[in-house]
Amino acid sequence: QVQLQQSGPGLVKPSQTLSLTCAISGDSVSSNSAAWNWIRQSPSRGLEWLGRTYYRSKWYSDYAVSVKSRITINPDTSKNQFSLQLNSVTPEDTAVYYCARFYGAAADYWGQGTLVTVSS
Amino acid sequence: EIVLTQSPGTLSLSPGERATLSCRASQSVSSSYLTWYQQKPGQAPRLLIHGASSRATGIPDRFSGSGSGTDFTLTISRLEPEDFAVYYCQQYGSSLFTFGPGTKVDIK
């Protein structure tokens, strides 16, 4: 059974960097068939896919156009986890953030969600 | 970027009734890449249907998906009390994923 456990601060100041981590159990971040994603949800933007990292003989990352200039998603093979960094946050980045495993084009396992508020 | 539109925004039905939810794409979507989720308050979305019509593991057969091209449908044949929730469609194309705005199925 795959489990994803999220960690990270729930409050970030404007202009600073939002950092979250998703620890994986029951699968490997280096899997050749899964992809590891971050998705957020807010009342104003709904569900918004942010990006993914995955391994297919080498590491790849894809990012949503809306955040491409500010986002990094990195795997950490030593800890079997992956992380999200979102730079230069504004109150518009306030949302519940989820990590999720995609198998093909569907997210079959999700983290518990982390409410991140951007406020001074 | 492909935009997904879901209708209706809210569907008010009684237990035992049939629910028909629509997802329309701004461009053609491969059926292999159309997914449906269910979300209840305070929970992460739950995978229902992948590949437009394949039920995920453990999903009851009252849930079915159909469609192709730009028009897809999620049908719940007989609503159970636990089915009242928000339903989202999602597509994959050009290395990007997008979600629809959701349809809320509430109790009439």
Side-chain angles (χ1 to χ4, degrees):
Chain A
Q1 178 77 350
V2 176
Q3 292 187 329
L4 303 176
Q5 181 67 41
Q6 300 177 216
S7 59
L11 180 63
V12 182
K13 288 180 167 44
S15 80
Q16 294 194 342
T17 297
L18 181 160
S19 296
L20 296 173
T21 299
C22 183
I24 304 164
S25 57
D27 199 350
S28 170
V29 72
S30 303
S31 165
N32 270 296
S33 52
W36 306 97
N37 294 247
W38 287 97
I39 294 159
R40 68 183 177 183
Q41 186 172 31
S42 64
S44 59
R45 301 170 77 101
L47 282 166
E48 181 183 15
W49 176 79
L50 297 177
R52 65 178 178 174
T53 188
Y54 58 100
Y55 186 77
R56 302 289 185 268
S57 303
K58 68 174 186 176
W59 287 102
Y60 295 87
S61 293
D62 296 307
Y63 300 122
V65 171
S66 60
V67 295
K68 194 166 187 175
S69 63
R70 303 192 287 131
I71 189 172
T72 305
I73 297 176
N74 282 325
D76 182 342
T77 57
S78 65
K79 295 181 179 179
N80 200 33
Q81 63 187 29
F82 62 108
S83 63
L84 166 69
Q85 287 198 310
L86 188 65
N87 302 325
S88 306
V89 297
T90 72
E92 288 268 301
D93 295 309
T94 294
V96 176
Y97 286 74
Y98 294 100
C99 60
R101 185 186 88 160
F102 274 65
Y103 196 86
D108 56 356
Y109 291 96
W110 295 68
Q112 78 274 25
T114 301
L115 173 60
V116 178
T117 301
V118 178
S119 175
S120 54
Chain B
E1 177 180 302
I2 295 176
V3 176
L4 298 178
T5 304
Q6 291 187 244
S7 61
T10 301
L11 195 52
S12 296
L13 295 168
S14 300
E17 289 193 295
R18 181 184 188 90
T20 303
L21 287 66
S22 173
C23 176
R24 183 160 291 175
S26 60
Q27 303 172 42
S28 184
V29 173
S30 166
S31 294
S32 299
Y33 296 153
L34 195 288
T35 305
W36 289 93
Y37 301 92
Q38 176 194 67
Q39 188 178 33
K40 296 179 180 179
Q43 298 183 15
R46 173 195 182 197
L47 176 63
L48 291 178
I49 301 285
H50 60 91
S53 60
S54 298
R55 276 186 302 276
T57 303
I59 301 302
D61 61 7
R62 64 180 181 272
F63 291 92
S64 63
S66 63
S68 64
T70 59
D71 289 300
F72 297 89
T73 300
L74 175 69
T75 302
I76 310 170
S77 60
R78 295 171 311 279
L79 282 163
E80 296 288 340
E82 62 268 27
D83 298 337
F84 292 92
V86 181
Y87 293 84
Y88 296 95
C89 57
Q90 170 232 294
Q91 70 83 35
Y92 170 73
S94 303
S95 299
L96 301 174
F97 294 87
T98 55
F99 290 87
T103 290
K104 182 178 184 180
V105 179
D106 67 14
I107 300 176
K108 188 174 182 180

